[in-house]
Amino acid sequence: MSSIPDVPTLSLCSILASAAFALVYLTLWRARAGQSHMLDWAGSSALYVATMLGFAHLGHDPVAVAILHGSLGVSDVLILTGVYRFDGVKPFRAWMLLIPLAPGVGYLGPALLWSPMAAQVGGTVGLAFAMLVVGSILVGGRSTASGGGRRIAGFALLAYVPGYILTIVLLVSGSRIPHVAALVPLLSDQMLLAILNLGLIAMPGERAQTALRRIALRDTLTGALNRAGLTAHSPAIVAPDTAVVAIDVDHFKAINDRHGHAVGDRVLVALATCAMRRASGRDLVVRLGGDEFVVVLAGTPREGALAFAADLRRALALIPDLPAWTASMGVAMVAPGEGDLDAAIARADGALYAAKAAGRDRAAA
């Protein structure tokens, strides 16, 4: 027959695990400049260690125990402030004071007015509230480059809530299990503390991977998508109402020969910037190579694509601090039944050469 786990042993395991994660966060903070969110998370783990030691050594004074309950809420707040700091937004908001107040007041009020058992119930309800609030924010927050790790951490916090509910049920039902108010949460710690902290630690790595992927899909000079970016993004907008505008700088070699490659690069950047400013959120601006660009316009008829080309040509003529230059453009539509942009790009390229043959500095379809 299995025995009830020893609460002091479980508490020691939670203390050691949290202390280890606090050291990990501090090490990562020292090794990576600018990652101040690691200090919030280190503070959360360190405060949890201090609170567990406080429960073990400060006795049963109601005020002291209420403060310790509030400290557990503060450790949850530090998780949230670290996430907000990681996002680059204001880390603390006034409503966060409710998170530590709920378990602290939830314990102290019943302890002063009713009984120790009522205080344990009130404190446990407050802790469940704190976990529910912070976990829900992490799980349901905006989608970011760190969504996976953030949601793992959020679900770990939410997974504490059923344990708190079980604790409340056992307390109210008069369970004879020793130290039940501490036992179930400490059992939850043995699995969920690691999941929570590993989720937080994963967030910077996820952001770095997303940034690297974004870099791999974009042209480093102009910021437009490259061929890999076109391949990655085009399936979402391939449809018969998708227009393709092929763009080529007229006499680009002559610009480089006469004014230097630095000026030629500025021309390419100006073209890409003008195109991206006029593109909608679903449109794609792509540098295929050299001075060849493609703009993919989602949900745009041929007339709309020709209007886009005309507007872009006018904008290019107004760019200051560059020698006079022009661009030729060709417009084509994705045909019904086509599953990619290859044929439409080829047709737009053919129209582009027709524009060049007709005298350049114009668009053809």
Side-chain angles (χ1 to χ4, degrees):
M1 182 177 179
S2 60
S3 60
I4 297 174
D6 180 64
V7 168
T9 301
L10 291 175
S11 179
L12 178 61
C13 291
S14 295
I15 288 171
L16 293 175
S18 295
F21 279 114
L23 289 175
V24 168
Y25 289 130
L26 288 174
T27 302
L28 292 174
W29 168 70
R30 286 177 59 85
R32 301 174 183 176
Q35 297 204 13
S36 57
H37 54 274
M38 293 292 180
L39 288 178
D40 292 76
W41 296 338
S44 174
S45 293
L47 181 59
Y48 189 75
V49 169
T51 303
M52 290 296 99
L53 292 173
F55 277 120
H57 296 98
L58 292 183
H60 301 285
D61 177 72
V63 175
V65 175
I67 292 172
L68 291 173
H69 276 74
S71 296
L72 291 175
V74 173
S75 71
D76 294 333
V77 170
L78 287 171
I79 292 174
L80 192 54
T81 59
V83 170
Y84 284 150
R85 205 182 303 277
F86 178 81
D87 288 339
V89 299
K90 181 181 178 182
F92 182 77
R93 295 92 191 276
W95 63 261
M96 291 181 182
L97 294 173
L98 294 174
I99 296 175
L101 281 175
V105 175
Y107 184 92
L108 185 60
L112 297 177
L113 297 175
W114 294 297
S115 66
M117 190 275 287
Q120 289 179 332
V121 171
T124 303
V125 169
L127 292 172
F129 167 80
M131 292 291 192
L132 183 63
V133 170
V134 179
S136 297
I137 291 173
L138 297 189
V139 170
R142 60 180 183 172
S143 177
T144 66
S146 60
R150 177 175 317 207
R151 288 184 175 87
I152 288 172
F155 280 121
L157 291 173
L158 291 177
Y160 276 94
V161 176
Y164 285 127
I165 293 174
L166 175 60
T167 299
I168 293 167
V169 171
L170 292 173
L171 287 169
V172 172
S173 64
S175 172
R176 295 181 179 273
I177 299 175
H179 308 293
V180 66
L183 177 62
V184 178
L186 286 172
L187 285 172
S188 300
D189 270 353
Q190 308 317 303
M191 178 176 67
L192 298 177
L193 267 180
I195 296 174
L196 164 65
N197 288 286
L198 290 175
L200 295 175
I201 290 171
M203 288 171 57
E206 290 175 338
R207 171 179 284 179
Q209 286 184 335
T210 300
L212 288 173
R213 184 174 183 273
R214 186 180 297 115
I215 292 172
L217 298 180
R218 290 200 173 269
D219 174 56
T220 55
L221 174 64
T222 64
L225 294 173
N226 56 24
R227 288 182 180 271
L230 175 64
T231 301
H233 292 285
S234 61
I237 62 172
V238 173
D241 62 349
T242 296
V244 175
V245 181
I247 307 171
D248 190 86
V249 178
D250 296 327
H251 303 297
F252 185 64
K253 184 178 184 302
I255 294 174
N256 281 330
D257 292 343
R258 184 176 304 169
H259 302 282
H261 289 279
V263 172
D265 287 348
R266 287 167 56 199
V267 167
L268 297 178
V269 171
L271 194 160
T273 301
C274 278
M276 288 187 287
R277 284 175 178 170
R278 283 156 179 77
S280 71
R282 294 186 61 207
D283 299 338
L284 309 178
V285 178
V286 186
R287 184 186 180 192
L288 296 180
D291 61 325
E292 300 177 20
F293 290 80
V294 163
V295 179
V296 184
L297 302 171
T300 304
R302 188 183 305 273
E303 294 75 14
L306 286 169
F308 175 90
D311 178 61
L312 180 57
R313 285 178 49 248
R314 286 191 296 269
L316 297 180
L318 299 175
I319 295 174
D321 303 322
L322 284 175
W325 62 283
T326 60
S328 298
M329 306 181 190
V331 174
M333 300 298 298
V334 173
E338 291 181 345
D340 56 43
L341 295 173
D342 292 347
I345 291 175
R347 290 192 296 271
D349 203 43
L352 167 64
Y353 281 101
K356 284 182 175 291
R360 292 183 167 86
D361 189 19
R362 67 194 63 207

